[in-house]
Amino acid sequence: MTEAITADQTGADQPLLAKRTSKRWLITAALTTAIVVLPVLSVIILALFPEENIWPHLLDTTLPRYLTTTLKLMVGVALITLTIGLATAWAVTMCEFPGRRFFEWAMLLPFAVPAYVIAYVYTSLLDYAGPVQTTLREWFGWRNATDYWFPEIRSLEGATLMIGLVLYPYVYLLARAAFLEQSPSLFAVSRSLGHSALSTFFRVVLPIARPAVAVGLSLVLMETLNDFGTVDFFAVQTLTAGLFDTWMNLGNLGGAAQIATTMLTFVVILVTLERYSRRKQQQFAARDNREPIRRFTMSFPRQLICVAVCALPVIFGFLLPAITLGQYAWEYFDESWNTDFIRNTLNSLFLSGTAALTTLIIGVTLAYSRRLHNTRGMQIMMRLSSLGYAMPGAVLAVGVIVPLAAFDNRVDSIMRDTFGVSSGLLLSGSAFALIFAYTVRFLAVSAGSVESALQKITPSMDMASRSLGHTPGQTLVKVHLPMLRGTLITAALVVFVDVMKELPATLILRPFNFETLATYVYQFASDEQLARSALPALIIVLAGIIPIILMSKSISGTRSIS
């Protein structure tokens, strides 16, 4: 009788225990979101209440120039990425030409090259003392720069081209995915009405793909706003360059926060415009969107045009820079392979690996919490936790340094008053600040990937696990994580590579005498020593190729070919 009562009580307690455990996930998600949002709030508060308000001075002097240059850069990059991304996505998806299967994934290769690396390479090739101008002077007998005209690579136009060459894959990736999901019957109806392939693209395909293209373009513009290495090397005065100058050279953190707030305003405008552009659009999957695609057959000259359209971005955005870096790395290998290179490589591997693991853990926590509590509040928390991805690295660095420095100063004050010793910079002067910034910046990558994958797992799996007496945590470990293994690996690789390339936040937050491959490349290139920066730059490029291949395979597998 006693055993029966005990069993009944245990059974009655199980729903209560499960409810308490579920609430713990919700509380954990709320605390995590609050920590992630903290840098954004820190930037805004510091901008509103700076120790020294230089906002009027910025408005009267440098801010208009920063704003104008930034807008010009963003417009130019948008035009380049839209032109290349849409043209190549349409060609590899709907046109049959030699090398199409190769270009399907090769178009993503420039993704692996950071914009600042490609800027260093082309400056070395196209400068007055570079091989291109030197060869031209030898061929035509020119003696100096006054004898001929050559475009200046270190300019706003040069920076626009460099950034556009490595960011167009954002538009290509999302546009191609949207093209693959469209119904073949739409193309057939358009062609039956007498429209050419080009007319079909502009009248039918592009309007349907507009939401995906808008998302890709917004990512391009946010990455353009984030860029520092290219604009700094080319002396282009954008908002990011102004933030560095105000903080590092003028020593005014409040003024830097005010510029950072201006950059955040840009981000808010971009996100708002992207959502506004598709506010009235509601699309549903067509019944025949899984049928094989019937590609357009073209004449030989048009096939050659398609080959050229796809080959040129790959050649100038990846192949030429990779060959140049490889040549320099080979020639200067003995100088480059030293203890500094090995130490900085290990630093990059440590930071990238730790950040990837941290973002995965937090991303799984947030995504699974939403699965347990799919409420309006939880949806808002997921969006707030993704704010970091939209924040430029320099802005994020300002937001991270403020609360961490305040914590360090408070602890130091307590230690001095209590024990008469200084605790120093515990968090703001350590690798913790970098990992925290990376986690906030790239959390959206892991959380979004895991959330999308979890939505594909039927809720009956959770019910079956819970009926066997498993808690939500046990269900996650025993049921969901094994099913999410591929998604987790892909998300970790993407974060790993993004951290390897990240420059602005690393430059600001790295501890004293602590370098990564990105800052190592930046220092040598800034000193006009591209040859010595070639090997670490090549490592960064090679590391980015793996997730590119994975992404291409995942997209290509969504649709069969006819």
Side-chain angles (χ1 to χ4, degrees), residues 36 39 347-356 358-360 362 385 388-389 393 396-397 400 430-446 495-511 514-519:
V36 170
N347 288 342
S348 288
L349 293 175
F350 166 73
L351 291 174
S352 300
T354 305
T358 305
T359 53
L360 270 187
I362 297 177
S385 66
Y389 195 69
L396 186 60
V400 167
S430 67
F432 175 85
L434 280 172
I435 295 172
F436 180 40
Y438 295 149
T439 303
V440 173
R441 175 131 168 73
F442 301 114
L443 178 59
V445 176
S446 60
V495 173
F496 184 92
V497 173
D498 282 340
V499 173
M500 289 274 287
K501 297 190 295 184
E502 175 61 33
L503 180 63
T506 310
L507 280 174
I508 295 175
L509 296 174
R510 72 190 193 278
F514 184 94
E515 303 290 343
T516 65
L517 288 176
T519 61

Side-chain angles (χ1 to χ4, degrees), residues 90-162:
W90 173 253
V92 300
T93 305
M94 297 304 303
C95 302
E96 193 62 60
F97 59 93
R100 180 190 56 77
R101 289 185 178 275
F102 166 76
F103 287 118
E104 281 184 354
W105 63 270
M107 297 307 306
L108 295 173
L109 287 176
F111 240 154
V113 187
Y116 55 87
V117 170
I118 200 174
Y120 303 154
V121 169
Y122 277 106
T123 300
S124 174
L125 294 175
L126 301 178
D127 250 358
Y128 179 79
V132 174
Q133 291 200 52
T134 301
T135 302
L136 289 175
R137 288 195 297 271
E138 291 176 354
W139 284 356
F140 297 100
W142 296 327
R143 294 185 177 183
N144 51 56
T146 59
D147 295 335
Y148 64 99
W149 176 86
F150 195 84
E152 177 58 53
I153 184 66
R154 298 196 190 207
S155 61
L156 175 61
E157 294 76 15
T160 302
L161 181 59
M162 296 298 101

